[in-house]
């Protein structure tokens, strides 16, 4: 365990990482009539939780003498927060064996903690390799064309000289044709090999792009993909964003294990996607939180759809498939806000509404403060 003063010096360097790969959230705006200040007690609890998590991250890095690189920070956060079961089990097994948690060991772990970062790096590498392969294919085709033109010119010359030296011209024509066939076969083999390599690279590029944009557990779009889609969405139509958080999810993990928790996450992901329909983008925003993007939908219509999804999920009863023990009801607290020309502001408003739903008793949908929940479009200006 590191000395307190050493840990304290690293906390500022870790502050931007506690929220995960996307970085820390933007600071909340000063309270206004449109967005009241959050509950002081709840805000204090969140700050205390953030500090405790950063201290655990610091302790992990210091205990194993790991540099605070981007990938190791993400791994340390996933381990400290218990977000990646496979990663936690691999590290715990390593510790039980009294073997070092070294950079070489961590780099071998196919963890979800740094899957997005590795996915982005893989995309860049594959794109470069594919570009180089296609460029080489183009050069091979150029060589083939040059060879064909040279063969044609040589044939023309031998035809002109055939009258003077018929036997010699015939021998040279045979030699030229044989050499041309051999070059063509060689170039055809190169092109076929490059075509196979290009197909393989395209397949890997597609898979890497999918991995960089998809949550590994639920197969929903991830936060990176959601933010990109939200940024592309046009302000000429009514739009809304919602944040949905599974109530008391830690209790599910603690009582029934992470396998049961993972199954609950997957069921909730499918439920939201099915209940809200194909026109709504549902993404895993992190942990037990899901984000929804409604395009061409008023705040009123979005709230009604979310209310229905929330109520239908609460009607279900969950059972642990491993031991048959009842998990019980799984409910959602949801905050929804209109999305105009400030995506970050809309997400903060939805987050504040989500915690208002928690304070009001959970299992409900709350519209962001200051919004008018009517059927009228809420367009950007």
């Amino acid at each position: 365990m590191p000395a307190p003063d050493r840990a304290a010096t690293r906390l500022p360097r870790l502050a931007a990482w506690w929220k995960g790969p996307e970085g820390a959230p933007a600071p909340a705006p000063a309270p206004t009539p449109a967005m009241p200040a959050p509950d002081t007690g709840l805000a204090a609890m969140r700050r205390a939780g953030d500090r405790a998590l950063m201290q655990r991250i610091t302790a992990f890095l210091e205990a194993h003498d790991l540099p605070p690189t981007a990938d190791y920070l993400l791994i340390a956060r996933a381990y400290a927060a218990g977000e990646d079961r496979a990663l936690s089990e691999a590290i715990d097994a390593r510790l039980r064996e009294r073997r070092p948690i070294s950079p070489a060991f961590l780099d071998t772990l196919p963890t979800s903690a740094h899957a997005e970062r590795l996915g982005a790096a893989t995309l860049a590498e594959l794109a470069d390799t594919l570009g180089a392969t296609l460029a080489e294919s183009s050069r091979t085709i150029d060589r083939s064309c040059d060879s064909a033109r040279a063969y044609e010119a040589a044939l023309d010359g031998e035809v002109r000289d055939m009258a003077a030296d018929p036997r010699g011209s015939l021998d040279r024509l045979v030699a030229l044709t044989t050499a041309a066939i051999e070059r063509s076969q060689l170039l055809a083999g190169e092109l076929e090999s490059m075509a196979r390599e290009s197909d393989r690279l395209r397949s890997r590029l597609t898979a890497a792009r999918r991995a960089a944009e998809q949550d590994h557990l639920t197969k929903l779009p991830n936060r990176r993909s959601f933010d990109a889609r939200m940024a592309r969405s046009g302000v000429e139509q009514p739009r809304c964003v919602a944040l949905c958080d599974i109530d008391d999810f830690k209790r599910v993990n603690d009582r029934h294990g992470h396998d049961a928790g993972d199954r609950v996450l997957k069921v909730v992901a499918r439920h939201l996607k099915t209940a809200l329909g194909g026109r709504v983008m549902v993404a895993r925003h992190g942990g037990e939180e899901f984000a929804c993007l409604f395009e061409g939908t008023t705040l009123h219509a979005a709230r009604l759809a979310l209310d229905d999804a929330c109520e239908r999920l609460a009607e279900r009863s969950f059972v642990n498939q491993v031991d048959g023990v009842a998990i019980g009801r799984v409910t959602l607290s949801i905050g929804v806000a209109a999305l105009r020309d400030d995506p970050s502001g809309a997400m903060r408003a939805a987050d504040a509404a989500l915690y208002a739903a928690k304070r009001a008793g959970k299992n409900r949908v709350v519209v962001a403060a200051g919004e008018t929940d009517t059927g009228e479009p809420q367009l950007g200006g």
Side-chain angles (χ1 to χ4, degrees):
M1 182 69 65
D5 57 337
R6 290 181 67 195
T9 60
R10 278 201 177 179
L11 286 180
R13 302 173 70 182
L14 303 176
W17 293 93
W18 73 266
K19 193 66 175 177
E22 302 298 331
T32 65
M35 186 189 297
D39 178 74
T40 304
L42 182 62
M45 289 175 61
R46 292 188 68 181
R47 287 195 298 271
D50 297 342
R51 285 194 296 271
L53 178 57
M54 285 192 289
Q55 288 168 351
R56 291 197 296 274
I57 293 171
T58 301
F60 180 86
L61 294 175
E62 293 284 357
H64 303 293
D65 196 26
L66 296 169
T69 63
D71 288 335
Y72 298 149
L73 283 165
L74 294 174
I75 290 173
R77 182 191 183 280
Y79 180 71
E83 293 179 337
D84 190 326
R85 180 173 57 85
L87 178 145
S88 297
E89 290 176 352
I91 292 178
D92 288 341
R94 185 92 168 177
L95 292 173
R96 286 194 297 270
E97 297 169 359
R98 298 184 181 280
R99 300 172 66 187
I101 306 299
S102 62
F105 165 69
L106 295 179
D107 289 345
T108 65
L109 295 179
T111 65
S112 61
H114 59 306
E116 289 187 5
R117 181 173 298 279
L118 295 182
T122 302
L123 281 173
E125 179 184 353
L126 288 174
D128 289 344
T129 306
L130 180 58
T133 301
L134 293 176
E136 182 60 30
S137 297
S138 178
R139 287 192 291 270
T140 301
I141 292 172
D142 289 342
R143 283 161 48 207
S144 178
C145 293
D146 290 343
S147 177
R149 283 192 289 268
Y151 176 60
E152 183 179 358
L155 282 179
D156 289 342
E158 292 300 333
V159 169
R160 287 194 302 269
D161 297 339
M162 185 170 286
D165 184 13
R167 182 59 183 267
S169 293
L170 183 60
D171 291 341
R172 287 190 293 275
L173 283 171
V174 171
L176 282 171
T177 302
T178 301
I181 291 173
E182 290 175 352
R183 283 196 299 271
S184 296
Q185 290 174 339
L186 179 62
L187 291 170
E190 290 182 14
L191 286 171
E192 184 178 351
S193 176
M194 289 176 184
R196 287 196 300 269
E197 178 67 7
S198 296
D199 288 343
R200 186 182 68 84
L201 287 170
R202 285 192 183 95
S203 178
R204 288 185 59 198
L205 191 60
T206 299
R209 184 178 291 112
R210 186 181 301 114
E213 297 176 351
Q214 186 181 70
D215 174 61
H216 76 289
L217 177 66
T218 64
K219 308 306 178 187
L220 290 176
N222 58 20
R223 182 173 179 175
R224 181 196 305 273
S225 181
F226 182 84
D227 289 347
R229 172 75 171 271
M230 186 167 54
R232 292 194 304 267
S233 180
V235 298
E236 68 278 359
Q237 59 181 342
R239 303 174 299 162
C240 310
V241 291
L243 287 174
C244 312
D245 188 84
I246 301 177
D247 295 324
D248 304 313
F249 183 70
K250 185 176 184 299
R251 186 186 306 167
V252 176
N253 278 334
D254 291 346
R255 290 185 179 180
H256 302 278
H258 288 282
D259 283 339
D262 287 350
R263 285 193 291 272
V264 168
L265 285 170
K266 288 189 281 190
V267 170
V268 172
R270 286 196 300 270
H271 173 78
L272 285 172
K273 189 172 177 63
T274 302
L276 298 178
R279 294 184 59 189
V280 179
M281 182 183 189
V282 179
R284 188 179 179 192
H285 206 243
E288 64 269 28
E289 192 171 83
F290 299 87
C292 308
L293 174 62
F294 295 80
E295 297 177 280
T297 305
T298 65
L299 186 63
H300 178 72
R303 182 188 59 78
L304 291 179
L306 291 164
D307 270 332
D308 182 64
C310 194
E311 291 174 4
R312 287 163 59 187
L313 180 65
E315 293 171 356
R316 304 178 60 171
S317 182
F318 288 72
V319 176
N320 189 338
Q321 295 179 356
V322 175
D323 54 21
V325 175
I327 295 175
R329 289 200 315 165
V330 172
T331 61
L332 294 172
S333 292
I334 303 175
V336 58
L339 172 60
R340 298 182 180 89
D341 54 2
D342 181 9
S344 297
M347 293 299 287
R348 289 195 297 270
D351 187 59
L354 164 62
Y355 280 93
K358 296 283 190 185
R359 293 194 300 271
K362 306 176 183 178
N363 188 28
R364 66 194 65 220
V365 180
V366 171
V367 174
E371 298 286 5
T372 302
D373 182 13
T374 69
E376 296 300 319
Q378 304 283 325
L379 300 181

